[in-house]
Amino acid sequence: MKTSAFAACAAMMLSAATASAQHCVGLASLGTYSMNATVGGVFADGAKGGTARYGGGTTKAFAGVGASIVKVNGVSGTTKGVTVDGGLSYPVGEKKQVSLCPVAEISYARTPTYDDGEGKYYGSATAGGLGVAVGSLLTNSSSVGLLPFAILQAVYTRNSITANSISVSSNDTYGVLSGGLGFVFSPTLLVRPTVSIPIGLDGGKAQYGASLSLAFGKR
C-alpha cells in the first residue's frame, strides 16, 4: 500500500466524526435533553465504516467524544480512530431560528499494520479542524421536522508512516465541506443522512453516511 493510500484512508477516518451536538450540525437542540448518543455508517469509493459519538452540553456550548472504524477494500484489517469535538451556538436571523456555530475538533487515526514482503509498517494521522456550521429546524403541520445544515472546516493533518521503528511524516492542509438533512421524528429521535467533500486533498474522496441519534438526560 502506498503512502497516499494511508493518507486517504486516514482522511476518511478523521472526517467521519465531525463536531456534533445542535441544530447547526444537524442534531437536536440540547435545550430539553442534555445528552445524546449517535451511531451511523459511512461510505466512500473503496471504503466503508461505522461511527459512534457521545455528546452533551447546553443550548450555548457543546462537546463530545467519538470513535470510528473504517475498512478499505483489498486491505486486511481496519483503520481505527478517536475524535474530541466542541463548539458554541449563536441564534441568528430575524426570528433567531438559525443556529450559527464555530466548531473545532482534534482526531487521531491509525491504519492496520501492512506487510509488503520486505517489512511491516503502518500509517497514522493526527488532525485538527476549525470551522463554522449553520443549521435551522423547519417544522410544519406534519409530525416530522426537517433540519438542514452545512459545515465548512479547515483541517491540518500530520500523516506518518512507521516501518521497522523508522517514521516518515508529511503534512496536509485542506478543507472539508459537509452537509445533510436531519429528519426529526420526536425530541429524542433523529435520523441524519450526510455528505462530506474534501477540498484540496490529494486522494480525498466524497464520503456519504447516515446516522441515528437518541437524546436523553431530560433537564
Side-chain angles (χ1 to χ4, degrees):
M1 180 184 289
K2 297 180 180 179
T3 302
S4 59
F6 277 121
C9 182
M12 179 184 175
M13 170 62 249
L14 292 165
S15 64
T18 55
S20 305
Q22 295 187 318
H23 288 167
C24 55
V25 289
L27 289 179
S29 171
L30 293 170
T32 304
Y33 295 88
S34 61
M35 296 172 283
N36 54 42
T38 305
V39 295
V42 290
F43 308 89
D45 183 20
K48 58 185 177 181
T51 66
R53 181 189 180 278
Y54 169 80
T58 69
T59 57
K60 297 184 180 299
F62 54 88
V65 58
S68 299
I69 184 169
V70 173
K71 171 66 175 177
V72 177
N73 294 347
V75 177
S76 177
T78 56
T79 293
K80 301 177 180 68
V82 295
T83 300
V84 176
D85 66 71
L88 300 173
S89 180
Y90 298 95
V92 297
E94 183 178 348
K95 297 182 179 181
K96 305 297 183 181
Q97 293 180 331
V98 177
S99 179
L100 181 68
C101 306
V103 293
E105 68 178 83
I106 299 176
S107 302
Y108 174 80
R110 173 171 166 162
T111 70
T113 300
Y114 181 73
D115 189 345
D116 63 358
E118 298 180 356
K120 296 182 179 181
Y121 58 98
Y122 64 89
S124 62
T126 303
L130 291 172
V132 62
V134 60
S136 180
L137 177 61
L138 309 177
T139 59
N140 51 37
S141 58
S142 71
S143 59
V144 179
L146 299 179
L147 183 52
F149 69 97
I151 308 168
L152 180 62
Q153 288 184 297
V155 179
Y156 172 82
T157 303
R158 184 173 181 82
N159 304 300
S160 297
I161 299 294
T162 300
N164 300 323
S165 300
I166 300 175
S167 295
V168 178
S169 300
S170 64
N171 302 324
D172 284 310
T173 302
Y174 54 95
V176 176
L177 176 62
S178 305
L181 181 63
F183 295 88
V184 184
F185 295 97
S186 74
T188 60
L189 176 62
L190 181 147
V191 175
R192 182 184 64 162
T194 59
V195 60
S196 181
I197 303 172
I199 303 171
L201 174 65
D202 291 339
K205 301 175 182 179
Q207 173 187 302
Y208 305 91
S211 59
L212 173 70
S213 180
L214 297 175
F216 55 96
K218 192 169 185 178
R219 296 186 186 280

